[in-house]
Amino acid sequence: MVDPARIRNFSIISHVDHGKSTLSDRILELTAAVDPRDMRAQYLDSMDIERERGITIKAQNVRVRWRDHVLHLIDTPGHVDFGYEVSRSLAACEGVVLLVDASQGIEAQTLANCYLALESDLEIVAALNKIDLPAADPDRYAGEIEQVLGIPAGEVLRISAKTGEGVAHLLDEVVARIPAPGGDRAAALRALIFDSYYDQYRGVVSALRVVDGVIRSGSKARFFQAGSTHEVEEIGVRTPVPVPVDELGPGEVGYLVAGIRNVGEARVGETVTDATRPAAEPLPGYRHPKPMVFCGLYPVEGDEFPELRDALEKLQLNDASITYQPETSAALGFGFRCGFLGLLHMDIVRERLEREFDLSLIATAPSVAYVAHLTNGETEVVDNPSEMPPAQNLASIEEPILKVTIITPSEYTGTVMDLAQTRRGRLDKHSYLSAERVELVYLVPLAEIVVDFFDQLKSRTKGYASLDYEPAGLEPANLVKVDILLNGQAVDAFSAVVHRSKADEYGRKMAEKLRQLIPRQLFDVPIQAAIGGRIIARETVKAKRKDVLAKCYGGDITRKRKLLEKQKEGKKRMKNIGRVEVPQEAFVSALRLED
C-alpha cells in the first residue's frame, strides 16, 4: 500500500509525432523501470501495427518510482481518430504533461488535447520537446504557448526526449506541480475501469483506477452496470511488467483479473465495488463516443461469419468506440455494419481484425449517417446507402457537419481555403496565432472529409498543416442516392449517397472502373449508374465469343450460318436469365478508398 500523498498520476498528451512515446522511453530508463538489455524504442507500444506505423493507437499505463514518489504514467495516442483514448486516460489522472514540438509549435491536436485536460480540471505541465533539433526555436514557441494557451512562458520547460536533456527536471516538476490524488481509504470501494483486453487464458484483464476504498486479492468484487459478482483472482501493477500485489488503495492505478469470460461484464467506464460492502452509487464513467464513419465488413469466406462476430466482440472490449450490427448484402453475403471514429480508426480496426484474429475481410466504401425526413412525417437514420428510402418518399435529407480546425503556415492559407471550399466548406473563423501561422475554422460536411481530405491537406501544404475536428450537428443538403446496375440488377455494395452536383461524376467513374474489373461473360453486360429511374452513365462489358465454327472446315456456308444463328439464340436466352459473375477481387478493387 502506497501513501496517497506520495502518488502522482499523469498522462502525456500532444499532437501526433511530438515525442510522447520517446519521452515515455526516457522516463522508463531514468527510473530504471526496464533493464537496459530489454530496452527498445517505443517500449510501451506493444502492438506490431503500432511499431510498424510508428504511431500510438492504445493508451498504455506504467508505474515507476522517482526519488521517494510513485508515478503512474499513461502514454496516449496523438491522432484525432483516437481522441477517445485520451479522454478516457485523463479520467485516471490529476495532471498532464503537454508536449509541444520546439521546431513546429502548437498544432491542432495540441489545442484539442489541452482543452480536454482543462475540461477535466487537470494541472498542466507544459514542455517544449526536441530542443536538440537545429530548427528548434524554444523562445518563440514558448511565447506562442503563452499567447494561445495562457501558460506563462517562464513556466514552459525545455527538454529533449531523444537525448534525455531536461527529463529529470520535468519529473521533479511533475512531483512539485501535479496534486496528489484524493480519496478516502475507509470508504466503500469504488474503482473505475478505463481500459480492458481479452486474454484467452485468463479472460478479461482490466486496467482500473481506485478512487475510494481498497481492493484486495481474493475478495469478491461487484460490477455495477453488469450487476455481476466475481472473485478477484489477481490484482497488480504494471512496472511495465505485470507484478501482482495484495491490495490497491485510493489513487493507485493497476490491473484486475477476475476470471471474466463474458466480455460484456467488464466494459470500459464500469465501476467496481466490494460485494460485501458495496458503494451506494457508481462513478460517472464516460460519455460514449458517437461513430462518425460507417462501413460494411464482410468475411471473404462466408462461413467465417461467427468468427468475425466473436472477433468484433473481443475487440470492442479493447476499443469501446467501435459499434457493429449484423447486415446482409445480396452481393457479399452476411457481415456487419460497423461504426468508427474516422478513416484511420477504420483502417486500424480492419487490420487488427485480420492480424489478431486471422480473418480475411472485405470492407465496403465508407459512408456517414444521414437523417432522412419522409413525406409521411417520419424520420429515419440511414447509415447504409442501400437503405436510403426511394426519392418519391423523401421530403428532405440532413447530413452531419463537422467543425474543422486547421492550423497552417500563412503562405498556404489560399490553397487550404480553396480545398475547404471545393468540399462545400463554410469559413467560420480566421485568426493569426503568430505572424507565420494561421488558424482556420470551417464547417464542412462529414461526407466530404471522410475519403481523402486529410491526405489532400497534407500534400497541398507540404505536410505542415494540422487538422482537428469535432461534430457540429446536422444540416439539410441536396443529396441523391446513386445505384449501380449490372445487367439491370442493382448491386447494393456499390450504392452511394452523394451531393447532386457530384452524382454524374461518381456514376461515370464507377461505371468505367467496373468495366475494367468485371471479366467478360458469354453475353454483353451493361453497367449503368442510376438516380432513381434516370440513367446517368453507362458502360458495356462486351461478350466473349466462343468459336462454334472450329469443327467446321470446308463445306456449305448454310451449315456455318445455322451454327451461328443457334449461338445467337442461346446468347439471347442467356442474356434474359444470365447472372453476372463478379469476382471478389473486383469488389475489393472497386471499393478501394485511394482511388
Side-chain angles (χ1 to χ4, degrees):
M1 180 66 75
V2 183
D3 176 5
R6 300 241 167 257
I7 296 174
R8 298 292 182 272
N9 297 322
F10 69 100
S11 274
I12 304 178
I13 58 173
S14 82
H15 187 74
V16 185
D17 212 21
H18 281 200
K20 294 176 294 298
S21 297
T22 311
L23 178 59
S24 302
D25 289 348
R26 292 299 81 75
I27 291 173
L28 290 176
E29 284 180 355
L30 201 63
T31 56
V34 179
D35 190 302
R37 289 171 302 183
D38 298 331
M39 194 61 203
R40 56 165 198 247
Q42 271 85 41
Y43 189 89
L44 293 178
D45 289 349
S46 52
M47 281 192 271
D48 291 344
I49 190 168
E50 290 180 310
R51 308 186 69 75
E52 282 167 25
R53 294 184 179 225
I55 57 173
T56 301
I57 294 165
K58 287 293 302 169
Q60 299 290 349
N61 65 305
V62 62
R63 173 172 170 159
V64 296
R65 287 195 169 274
W66 177 247
R67 314 244 192 253
D68 54 352
H69 285 76
V70 168
L71 308 183
H72 286 132
L73 143 74
I74 302 180
D75 176 27
T76 63
H79 195 280
V80 60
D81 280 15
F82 305 115
Y84 180 55
E85 287 283 326
V86 180
S87 64
R88 285 198 335 223
S89 305
L90 298 184
C93 300
E94 277 74 40
V96 295
V97 170
L98 179 71
L99 279 192
V100 179
D101 190 320
S103 62
Q104 292 180 332
I106 290 176
E107 302 274 22
Q109 272 308 104
T110 316
L111 285 172
N113 287 337
C114 183
Y115 293 146
L116 275 178
L118 290 170
E119 272 173 37
S120 307
D121 204 20
L122 302 182
E123 184 66 37
I124 296 174
V125 178
L128 282 162
N129 188 21
K130 307 191 185 182
I131 56 169
D132 56 309
L133 290 180
D137 190 349
D139 294 340
R140 174 177 149 203
Y141 291 122
E144 190 174 280
I145 289 172
E146 181 168 6
Q147 182 192 336
V148 178
L149 301 176
I151 298 168
E155 289 181 16
V156 179
L157 307 176
R158 319 288 171 92
I159 67 165
S160 166
K162 188 175 173 187
T163 64
E165 182 185 344
V167 177
H169 179 54
L170 171 70
L171 290 180
D172 290 337
E173 289 296 307
V174 163
V175 169
R177 292 196 216 169
I178 292 178
D184 180 2
R185 186 179 163 77
L189 169 67
R190 290 198 304 168
L192 181 70
I193 294 179
F194 64 90
D195 198 10
S196 295
Y197 70 91
Y198 190 83
D199 182 301
Q200 65 185 79
Y201 302 111
R202 313 175 78 193
V204 177
V205 181
S206 303
L208 54 86
R209 153 81 195 258
V210 181
V211 178
D212 288 316
V214 179
I215 185 166
R216 294 182 174 84
S217 187
S219 63
K220 286 257 189 285
R222 182 163 172 270
F223 292 76
F224 255 100
Q225 289 169 16
S228 58
T229 303
H230 295 274
E231 186 174 333
V232 178
E233 292 178 5
E234 184 183 306
I235 51 170
V237 294
R238 298 182 194 282
T239 64
V241 181
V243 176
V245 296
D246 292 331
E247 58 181 32
L248 291 173
E252 291 195 80
V253 175
Y255 67 86
L256 163 73
V257 180
I260 301 169
R261 291 285 163 189
N262 177 2
V263 295
E265 291 186 13
R267 295 253 179 248
V268 164
E270 174 73 276
T271 301
V272 181
T273 187
D274 195 302
T276 52
R277 189 167 71 109
E281 55 188 51
L283 294 161
Y286 304 105
R287 276 203 312 265
H288 208 70
K290 276 199 174 143
M292 315 273 272
V293 177
F294 296 86
C295 86
L297 285 181
Y298 294 86
V300 171
E301 302 297 331
D303 55 1
E304 285 187 347
F305 177 75
E307 285 91 331
L308 176 58
R309 184 174 49 224
D310 291 349
L312 278 166
E313 200 174 58
K314 286 172 184 170
L315 198 61
Q316 192 184 41
L317 180 73
N318 190 234
D319 183 350
S321 53
I322 308 168
T323 62
Y324 62 92
Q325 59 194 56
E327 71 168 5
T328 54
S329 153
L332 300 171
F334 292 99
F336 288 94
R337 191 88 197 151
C338 302
F340 308 95
L341 299 182
L343 272 193
L344 178 68
H345 187 218
M346 173 180 136
D347 195 28
I348 295 286
V349 168
R350 201 195 74 227
E351 200 165 329
R352 284 186 70 186
L353 286 168
E354 291 186 339
R355 284 184 184 208
E356 294 174 24
F357 301 96
D358 200 23
L359 297 166
S360 50
L361 303 171
I362 293 176
T364 63
S367 62
V368 303
Y370 299 101
V371 175
H373 297 277
L374 307 181
T375 46
N376 63 4
E378 293 178 10
T379 58
E380 277 183 28
V381 176
V382 181
D383 58 30
N384 187 346
S386 63
E387 290 171 6
M388 184 64 80
Q392 62 269 25
N393 298 352
L394 279 173
S396 64
I397 305 176
E398 289 185 310
E399 64 177 343
I401 302 292
L402 292 185
K403 185 177 182 182
V404 177
T405 304
I406 300 167
I407 295 180
T408 176
S410 48
E411 68 257 36
Y412 300 116
T413 308
T415 181
V416 170
M417 290 176 98
D418 176 57
L419 171 66
Q421 275 150 10
T422 56
R423 299 304 176 90
R424 301 191 280 133
R426 300 195 313 277
L427 186 63
D428 185 48
K429 183 178 155 202
H430 181 182
S431 57
Y432 280 83
L433 299 180
S434 64
E436 298 85 21
R437 283 150 62 76
V438 181
E439 180 185 29
L440 298 167
V441 179
Y442 271 91
L443 294 169
V444 189
L446 172 56
E448 296 287 345
I449 285 185
V450 97
V451 180
D452 64 344
F453 185 87
F454 187 62
D455 296 345
Q456 285 287 327
L457 178 69
K458 283 293 185 193
S459 62
R460 289 188 185 204
T461 59
K462 299 185 181 166
Y464 282 111
S466 62
L467 172 82
D468 181 47
Y469 56 74
E470 59 184 72
L474 295 163
E475 281 186 7
N478 187 5
L479 302 169
V480 290
K481 176 186 167 192
V482 179
D483 284 313
I484 302 294
L485 314 176
L486 295 184
N487 203 22
Q489 297 291 314
V491 182
D492 54 358
F494 295 138
S495 298
V497 174
V498 292
H499 195 263
R500 192 176 288 277
S501 63
K502 297 187 176 176
D504 290 9
E505 184 191 0
Y506 173 82
R508 274 199 309 276
K509 276 187 176 168
M510 205 61 175
E512 170 62 32
K513 198 179 203 180
L514 286 170
R515 183 178 67 79
Q516 296 164 4
L517 292 169
I518 292 176
R520 291 168 73 184
Q521 321 278 315
L522 290 169
F523 52 94
D524 281 3
V525 178
I527 301 167
Q528 296 162 307
I531 299 174
R534 185 168 69 88
I535 305 297
I536 56 171
R538 172 175 171 139
E539 295 282 344
T540 307
V541 178
K542 299 303 286 179
K544 61 180 174 189
R545 183 173 162 197
K546 185 180 174 190
D547 188 1
V548 290
L549 305 181
K551 58 182 185 285
C552 280
Y553 43 90
D556 187 1
I557 184 69
T558 52
R559 187 163 168 237
K560 293 184 181 177
R561 201 165 283 150
K562 201 160 129 194
L563 284 168
L564 289 171
E565 286 298 322
K566 199 169 160 192
Q567 182 186 35
K568 203 191 267 179
E569 281 301 313
K571 284 199 174 186
K572 205 178 205 171
R573 196 168 65 250
M574 198 169 192
K575 191 178 174 72
N576 291 338
I577 59 167
R579 269 191 79 241
V580 183
E581 290 297 319
V582 183
Q584 218 73 342
E585 303 79 61
F587 278 107
V588 177
S589 305
L591 299 173
R592 274 260 155 75
L593 300 179
E594 300 87 83
D595 311 335

